[in-house]
Amino acid sequence: MELNKTNSGSRIHIGFFGKVNSGKSSIINAFANREISIVSKEEGTTTDPVYKSMEIKDLGACLLMDTPGIADKTILGEKRMKKTGEVISKTDIGILVVSDTDTKSERELLKEFKETPILIVINKIDILSKDEIKKIREDFSDYKVIELSALEKFGLDKLLEELLKFKPNKEEKLFDGMVEEKNLVLLVIPQDIAAPKNRLILPQVQAIRELLDRNALVSMVKLEELSDILQILNKKPDLIVADSSVFLEVYEKIPRDVRLTSFSVLFAKLKGDIGEYLRGVEALEKLNENSKILIAEACTHAPAEEDIGRIKIPNMIRKKYGENIQVDVSSGSVFPENICDYDLIVQCGGCMLNAKNIRNRIKKAKEKNIPITNYGIVIAHFKGILDKINY
């Protein structure tokens, strides 16, 4: 990842929803002024979500998401609706596209959004009658309604105007409340077999960029050289950020009055619910060899020999509870449906997912009364230093 490029997990996710052939793809293409999604008069052209990253004036880095149509009568309709539900779980702003007066399916879909802000877009006003537009408006009288024609490119400015009203008042950052200007921050970055060749991983890059933006003093070092740099520095670091996998090794080498955290813990605070994660880790004391644990990994990379989520944490668990304890791993942006099968969920930092997605995972776990925690919190707990970690 480039230092000046925003990853998808840090973008505002804008989802476009509606019936097949309502014009969702055409609106996205017109809005972005380029052909992003396939457009066709045939029903069900969009079979999987289509994603496009773009910068929107005054709103910032966004991800436009074109979804499969609802009320799909094709054989793939049920699968498409499932895909649509997955997009809803990570939608920051929803745009529901309506193009006819039969709005039953759209009104049903609105129930799925709950706390997600929604805009209603009446598309095809170039062919709809005044009475038809009036009827649609009446069906969605509780929502902000925008009249638009993707074909004529009319109403796009109004859509942008309404989207800008959802701009966050304050963008949350990794080091909020932890780092001030001119603070010395030391990043401990192990270069093990899991580290990508010739580059840093996303959490490290994002941390470096934010620290530079905060005018902090940033130094990086491998674990093996940590003692050397601590001797060279003429002042103690104000904060040390380590990879969670080397929490204990770093803690044993640093002065007791130096604050310590990890990339995973920082992302847990930024995108998740650190309080819920701390409550969730207590479930580790109630597990036994018959328990089932789910490792929820957002990335889809191939497992490496020293992988934290797929190798190291499962090994810690099995060392404590026995080799027969069941530890399953899920990967990607889709949260498993069978979370009730588990006694504990261990979520990664989620650097590749947006906060809405992560918080929906936490919400689902709480609704099912399934404890959920985080990689860095779990490792610090197993190492016996959780009370020494800053967040």
Side-chain angles (χ1 to χ4, degrees):
M1 177 187 171
E2 299 175 7
L3 284 177
N4 62 349
K5 185 177 180 181
T6 305
N7 77 92
S8 61
S10 299
R11 292 178 177 270
I12 297 173
H13 287 44
I14 304 174
F16 289 74
F17 305 87
K19 288 204 291 270
V20 294
N21 208 29
S22 62
K24 301 183 300 297
S25 301
S26 297
I27 292 174
I28 291 178
N29 290 340
F31 189 69
N33 200 28
R34 64 174 63 184
E35 189 170 314
I36 299 170
S37 300
I38 299 173
V39 177
S40 171
K41 293 182 180 180
E42 295 296 324
E43 287 194 359
T45 301
T46 304
T47 57
D48 286 296
V50 177
Y51 301 91
K52 173 59 183 177
S53 299
M54 67 176 293
E55 297 287 327
I56 295 181
K57 176 186 176 182
D58 296 329
L59 192 59
C62 297
L63 184 70
L64 305 187
M65 305 181 292
D66 188 7
T67 62
I70 60 174
D72 189 345
K73 299 177 182 179
T74 69
I75 194 170
L76 295 176
E78 185 176 340
K79 292 183 178 180
R80 287 174 177 149
M81 276 303 298
K82 183 178 179 181
K83 293 285 187 180
T84 296
E86 293 169 0
V87 174
I88 290 175
S89 70
K90 53 189 174 186
T91 296
D92 294 308
I93 306 169
I95 296 177
L96 181 59
V97 181
V98 185
S99 61
D100 62 67
T101 56
D102 180 10
T103 63
K104 180 179 179 181
S105 57
E106 288 94 339
R107 285 182 282 118
E108 282 295 317
L109 184 65
L110 282 175
K111 298 176 183 178
E112 302 297 321
F113 287 91
K114 298 174 182 177
E115 299 175 358
T116 302
I118 292 290
L119 294 175
I120 306 297
V121 169
I122 304 177
N123 189 29
K124 304 183 182 180
I125 63 168
D126 51 308
I127 60 176
L128 291 172
S129 69
K130 291 183 178 179
D131 288 341
E132 288 173 321
I133 294 173
K134 180 181 178 182
K135 168 65 167 57
I136 296 172
R137 278 188 167 276
E138 289 173 349
D139 287 348
F140 299 99
S141 58
D142 293 334
Y143 297 87
K144 182 64 183 181
V145 179
I146 302 163
E147 297 179 17
L148 183 149
S149 170
L151 180 63
E152 301 292 337
K153 294 189 177 181
F154 173 82
L156 296 174
D157 290 342
K158 183 62 177 177
L159 176 58
L160 174 59
E161 178 185 328
E162 292 301 325
L163 279 174
L164 293 180
K165 294 179 181 179
F166 296 110
K167 181 179 180 180
N169 294 326
K170 181 180 181 297
E171 183 182 359
E172 295 180 330
K173 296 287 188 177
L174 285 171
F175 295 97
D176 282 349
M178 299 188 74
V179 174
E180 298 178 358
E181 188 172 325
K182 304 305 179 184
N183 276 177
L184 175 59
V185 182
L186 180 60
L187 308 181
V188 182
I189 303 175
Q191 296 298 296
D192 55 30
I193 192 172
K197 186 177 181 180
N198 298 326
R199 63 186 178 91
L200 301 174
I201 63 175
L202 176 59
Q204 298 162 356
V205 173
Q206 190 167 334
I208 293 168
R209 178 54 196 259
E210 182 181 327
L211 289 168
L212 293 176
D213 289 341
R214 288 178 179 274
N215 297 321
L217 309 176
V218 188
S219 294
M220 291 168 285
V221 68
K222 294 189 296 183
L223 175 65
E224 293 79 6
E225 282 71 50
L226 175 57
S227 297
D228 295 328
I229 197 171
L230 289 174
Q231 292 180 4
I232 293 172
L233 293 172
N234 59 11
K235 64 165 288 187
K236 294 178 183 178
D238 296 289
L239 177 67
I240 293 179
V241 185
D243 190 279
S244 297
S245 64
V246 293
F247 250 157
L248 183 59
E249 292 89 334
V250 172
Y251 177 75
E252 291 175 339
K253 292 183 177 182
I254 65 175
R256 294 287 80 92
D257 58 345
V258 173
R259 293 178 296 148
L260 173 65
T261 190
S262 79
F263 297 102
S264 181
V265 171
L266 288 173
F267 274 89
K269 183 187 71 168
L270 177 69
K271 297 188 175 187
D273 182 336
I274 195 73
E276 191 63 30
Y277 285 152
L278 290 169
R279 286 187 288 273
V281 80
E282 296 174 2
L284 284 171
E285 299 305 315
K286 303 174 184 178
L287 301 181
N288 55 57
E289 61 181 4
N290 298 315
S291 300
K292 296 181 180 179
I293 299 174
L294 174 66
I295 306 292
E297 171 66 75
C299 299
T300 56
H301 62 271
E305 184 178 332
E306 299 179 47
D307 192 279
I308 293 179
R310 309 183 197 201
I311 306 297
K312 290 187 175 181
I313 291 179
N315 284 346
M316 292 178 186
I317 292 171
R318 293 188 176 103
K319 182 178 180 180
K320 181 175 178 65
Y321 301 106
E323 291 295 322
N324 293 328
I325 190 170
Q326 182 175 328
V327 182
D328 297 332
V329 178
S330 69
S331 60
S333 63
V334 179
F335 204 37
E337 296 180 355
N338 64 329
I339 61 172
C340 288
D341 295 343
Y342 298 96
D343 301 291
L344 176 65
I345 300 171
V346 184
Q347 170 67 51
C348 73
C351 61
M352 297 302 295
L353 303 180
N354 68 332
K356 182 66 176 292
N357 195 326
I358 295 294
R359 288 167 187 169
N360 266 332
R361 292 182 172 204
I362 297 171
K363 183 178 179 181
K364 288 179 180 179
K366 290 176 68 175
E367 290 174 348
K368 302 295 184 181
N369 202 30
I370 309 298
I372 185 168
T373 188
N374 162 268
Y375 280 18
I377 301 295
V378 164
I379 293 175
H381 173 85
F382 275 124
K383 299 298 183 180
I385 58 171
L386 181 55
D387 61 331
K388 308 297 192 299
I389 304 305
N390 291 86
Y391 45 84

